[in-house]
Amino acid sequence: MQRYSAFSLFKHALSHHQHWQQAWRNPEPKPYYDIIIVGGGGHGLATAYYLAKEHNIKRIAVLEKGYLGGGNTGRNTTIVRSNYLWDEAAQLYEHALKLWETLSLELNYNVMFSQRGVLNLGHTLQDMRDIERRVSANRLNGIDGEVLDPAGIKKIVPLINTSKNTRYPILGASWQPRGGVARHDAVAWGYARAADALGVDLLQGCGVTGFDLAGDQVKGVQTDRYGTLGAGRVGCVVAGNSSVLAGYAGFELPVESHPLQALVSEPIKPVLDTVVMSNQVHGYISQSDKGDLVIGAGIDSYTGYGQRGSLPVIEHTLAAILELFPMFSRVPMNRQWGGIVDTTPDACPIIGKSPVDNLYFNCGWGTGGFKATPGSGHVFAGCLAEQEIPALAKPFGLDRFYSGALVDEHGAAGVAH
Ligand code: FAD
Ligand code: PYC
């Protein structure tokens, strides 16, 4: 057996440490940027990438208080689909889904997008009416979708319990074959690497603590690491922390921050090759390429900024999953965690201008923004770069909360809002 001296072990550890420090070293920040993005999750990084690539903007920085992708982007259950009810939402999410289909090529980074299909189960007659309506609306928008009966579901997921003797019997489902899952941190890293290659400054460990305001115009951001950095425009993409950032600028957003949690089992052999979601019983499940069963819960109903959820919610979800898949009852669970999601009254995002000039927000994606990552970044880059808000983003402005033109997508996500 090879023996190591304490000194050689120390040298080995030191070289790892130095390598790690090197990898983490931020570029020297510039005193002024054309555009500063606050928040280095998938949406912020995608925004920076499309700003540099499609709008040829040179001085861009992404400021992240922790590490890139450490927020909801690295904590979600990665379900991607575009089967939303209303035209405005369906078109936005379908734009994102089309970008997902070529994203690995675009970034030259394998984001492991796997179109294994998404089932949304119906357990009541009202669920089934909603499913029929939504699938019809999807087809009118050119989005793939089918309504399945229990026998059709069983063909796709032989393990699922379609017995009539359960508390919430499965009556049918919507099926979107082009939906699926992706590798969450690969999406953050793929966009980060591509943005970095285009000259974007990625500043990690750099929290924004205030705005530099002149009248009702933003002139820059105050940070806890580099003091004040000047900016022509600032885009805030901070998910569950959006109301905090709005508070720094002196206004309120119609968002609530809630914990949302998920858990994974230990890796097992492949048993589930699609995504199963149930709005009614509050559970959704898929199997990652590594073999873990990836299980997500509904939100905790209290508000807060802590990235953890409560035990009763997880218990409720596991009871639901076991009713759908009794044979998973003996699979050991490995890890559980939470993120903090920002929900709006109509369960749709806010994308566009704020009451402060040159300050823009992209938030309110709630429990369902991972699937939107490429599309969200693409349209938000358009908002920040041009005077005109892109057509796909227009219905999602803050003005809808004054005009009443809400896009009510409650029930669209497979989780409780
Ligand atoms: P984040 O990834 O949270 O990035 C925001 C970043 O801003 C964070 O890294 C944070 O550190 C940073 N930040 C905050 N404040 C500051 C500050 N003051 N200064 C600098 N930086 C700051 N969506 C789906 O579509 N499908 C799913 O299956 C799904 N499952 C989910 C499961 C769970 C458990 C959770 C929590 C969420 C889930 N979501 C899902 C929602 C999805 O994860 C989010 O909508 C999406 O990832 C938001 O991306 P983002 O880039 O906007 O936010
Ligand atoms: O929006 O598809 C979704 C989703 C799944 C889990 C959480 N959100």
Side-chain angles (χ1 to χ4, degrees), residues 77-300:
T77 46
T78 84
I79 297 170
V80 177
R81 59 192 173 84
S82 62
N83 54 358
Y84 280 70
L85 176 64
W86 297 107
D87 294 351
E88 298 86 343
Q91 282 157 15
L92 180 63
Y93 287 99
E94 179 62 13
H95 176 57
L97 183 45
K98 290 214 171 93
L99 291 172
W100 276 112
E101 286 172 332
T102 52
L103 194 59
S104 293
L105 276 178
E106 167 84 20
L107 302 176
N108 188 25
Y109 201 103
N110 188 358
V111 298
M112 296 169 77
F113 181 48
S114 161
Q115 291 179 290
R116 57 185 65 184
V118 174
L119 281 166
N120 289 89
L121 303 178
H123 302 265
T124 65
L125 289 177
Q126 187 57 45
D127 277 358
M128 291 313 298
R129 285 185 206 112
D130 291 344
I131 283 174
E132 296 273 0
R133 180 182 182 209
R134 182 163 45 75
V135 170
S136 303
N138 290 162
R139 287 183 170 201
L140 289 171
N141 270 315
I143 295 169
D144 58 320
E146 280 172 53
V147 179
L148 299 181
D149 62 10
I153 298 171
K154 196 83 179 161
K155 264 196 209 146
I156 296 174
V157 192
L159 288 186
I160 204 163
N161 181 10
T162 48
S163 147
K164 292 197 173 89
N165 298 324
T166 57
R167 186 162 174 208
Y168 299 102
I170 296 170
L171 303 186
S174 69
W175 167 239
Q176 185 179 20
R178 285 167 61 245
V181 288
R183 174 80 209 173
H184 45 13
D185 43 10
V187 178
W189 288 109
Y191 273 119
R193 191 182 68 166
D196 176 68
L198 292 170
V200 173
D201 283 357
L202 304 174
L203 304 173
Q204 302 181 79
C206 175
V208 168
T209 51
F211 293 106
D212 198 12
L213 297 169
D216 53 8
Q217 258 208 357
V218 76
K219 295 281 182 194
V221 298
Q222 292 148 11
T223 74
D224 57 10
R225 182 157 186 186
Y226 300 114
T228 299
L229 300 175
R233 287 189 178 169
V234 176
C236 296
V237 203
V238 295
N241 285 281
S242 301
S243 46
V244 177
L245 270 281
Y248 295 156
F251 63 91
E252 286 186 43
L253 285 172
V255 295
E256 275 187 356
S257 294
H258 289 269
L260 178 66
Q261 50 188 328
L263 66 162
V264 288
S265 73
E266 62 179 38
I268 56 174
K269 286 189 175 167
V271 287
L272 182 63
D273 62 359
T274 188
V275 180
V276 180
M277 307 178 65
S278 170
N279 210 357
Q280 186 66 242
V281 300
H282 295 161
Y284 41 101
I285 183 164
S286 65
Q287 187 172 22
S288 75
D289 291 333
K290 217 165 55 174
D292 316 2
L293 296 175
V294 182
I295 298 172
I299 58 170
D300 277 56

Side-chain angles (χ1 to χ4, degrees), residues 16-28 40 62 64-71 189 196 201-206 225-226:
H16 265 278
H17 177 70
Q18 282 162 343
H19 177 78
W20 189 236
Q21 290 287 72
Q22 193 71 28
W24 270 71
R25 189 168 300 149
N26 287 338
E28 191 59 37
V62 177
E64 166 53 52
K65 74 173 176 184
Y67 58 92
L68 300 177
W189 288 109
D196 176 68
D201 283 357
L202 304 174
L203 304 173
Q204 302 181 79
C206 175
R225 182 157 186 186
Y226 300 114

